[in-house]
Amino acid sequence: MLDFLKRPTVIIVILGLVFGTGFYIYNNYRQNKAAQTASTVTDTPAATVADLTNADPKDFATELTNELTLANQKAIAYNTKEALSAIEIKIPGKLIPRSGNSTYIFDQPQDTGNHFTINISQATSSFIRAVIPKDDYFGSLTTINLKSWKLSYIDALKVAEKNGGQDWRKNNTLSELQLTLKNAQPKGWLYWFVKYASESSGFEVQVDAYSGRFVPAAETQAAPAATTEQSTTSQ
């Protein structure tokens, strides 16, 4: 038996079997590994291009707080009696995060004819301050009760999207989104007004800034006529 194994031909055959089997196992391993890798690549979902409709409001919390702090500091520096009365945010139609401008509007009892405003770039935090006649911009406003302000503009947009905004965008090309925070009818509470605009049409949704409730247009239309002394006490 040992003599048989010592024959060159037998040795060559045995070595061939060993190397052949090893090569087969290695090649099979590589193919399985490649298949697993391909499966992983295929199964990995493509990265979603984020816009404000699918953004997480929590990701913007710090910068929104900083923006409000900046606006308050500049308003108080102008006059210590200034109080926030409204916020207007304008965002280009592509709804790219941090692509818009926010205007904070302040009023004081001693100046009944003008607003103090500060316009802040969301992208750079650069700002422009101006005193604007109320007749030219927003008219008469009432002081915002900050305890009634729970929803950010991104939260308000999400509510608006679920209540007609998304459908409107499917049928129209959005050119600009405007979000306004102010006291209004019904009840003089604090609301977000989300306005969608294209070149030829528009759509508006009203959202309670405290609870996030969608406010139907019929509810506003049935409210008593607005007065200059609206309640600033919300929910």
Side-chain angles (χ1 to χ4, degrees), residues 21-173:
T21 302
F23 178 79
Y24 174 81
I25 293 173
Y26 175 71
N27 189 55
N28 191 52
Y29 169 79
R30 288 183 59 191
Q31 290 178 350
N32 290 337
K33 193 69 174 177
Q36 291 175 1
T37 302
S39 176
T40 300
V41 172
T42 302
D43 295 340
T44 301
T48 302
V49 178
D51 63 28
L52 286 173
T53 64
N54 53 34
D56 187 344
K58 294 179 182 177
D59 294 339
F60 297 77
T62 299
E63 61 196 73
L64 291 178
T65 298
N66 292 341
E67 193 175 273
L68 177 60
T69 299
L70 172 63
N72 279 327
Q73 288 175 344
K74 298 305 177 182
I76 292 173
Y78 173 73
N79 190 296
T80 57
K81 301 295 184 180
E82 295 288 352
L84 185 65
S85 296
I87 301 174
E88 181 185 55
I89 301 171
K90 292 184 177 181
I91 301 168
K94 291 184 178 181
L95 300 181
I96 298 173
R98 305 172 180 88
S99 65
N101 289 281
S102 305
T103 301
Y104 291 78
I105 304 166
F106 295 83
D107 291 309
Q108 55 161 305
Q110 288 76 18
D111 188 350
T112 59
N114 300 292
H115 299 301
F116 173 83
T117 68
I118 175 168
N119 181 277
I120 304 175
S121 166
Q122 293 180 343
T124 65
S125 295
S126 59
F127 59 88
I128 298 175
R129 290 166 286 182
V131 175
I132 303 176
K134 293 182 179 181
D135 289 343
D136 297 347
Y137 186 60
F138 268 89
S140 295
L141 295 166
T142 54
T143 302
I144 287 178
N145 179 358
L146 295 180
K147 293 181 179 180
S148 299
W149 181 13
K150 300 296 184 183
L151 267 68
S152 71
Y153 74 94
I154 301 171
D155 293 305
L157 173 58
K158 290 181 180 295
V159 176
E161 285 286 290
K162 294 177 181 178
N163 289 277
Q166 185 177 41
D167 291 336
W168 185 89
R169 288 195 300 112
K170 288 179 180 178
N171 299 311
N172 298 273
T173 301

Side-chain angles (χ1 to χ4, degrees), residues 153-205:
Y153 74 94
I154 301 171
D155 293 305
L157 173 58
K158 290 181 180 295
V159 176
E161 285 286 290
K162 294 177 181 178
N163 289 277
Q166 185 177 41
D167 291 336
W168 185 89
R169 288 195 300 112
K170 288 179 180 178
N171 299 311
N172 298 273
T173 301
L174 180 66
S175 58
E176 183 180 73
L177 183 73
Q178 179 179 322
L179 303 101
T180 303
L181 180 71
K182 65 177 182 177
N183 296 315
Q185 293 299 322
K187 300 182 180 180
W189 286 356
L190 187 62
Y191 299 98
W192 277 108
F193 294 85
V194 184
K195 296 182 180 179
Y196 299 77
S198 68
E199 291 185 359
S200 59
S201 66
F203 178 71
E204 180 175 291
V205 176

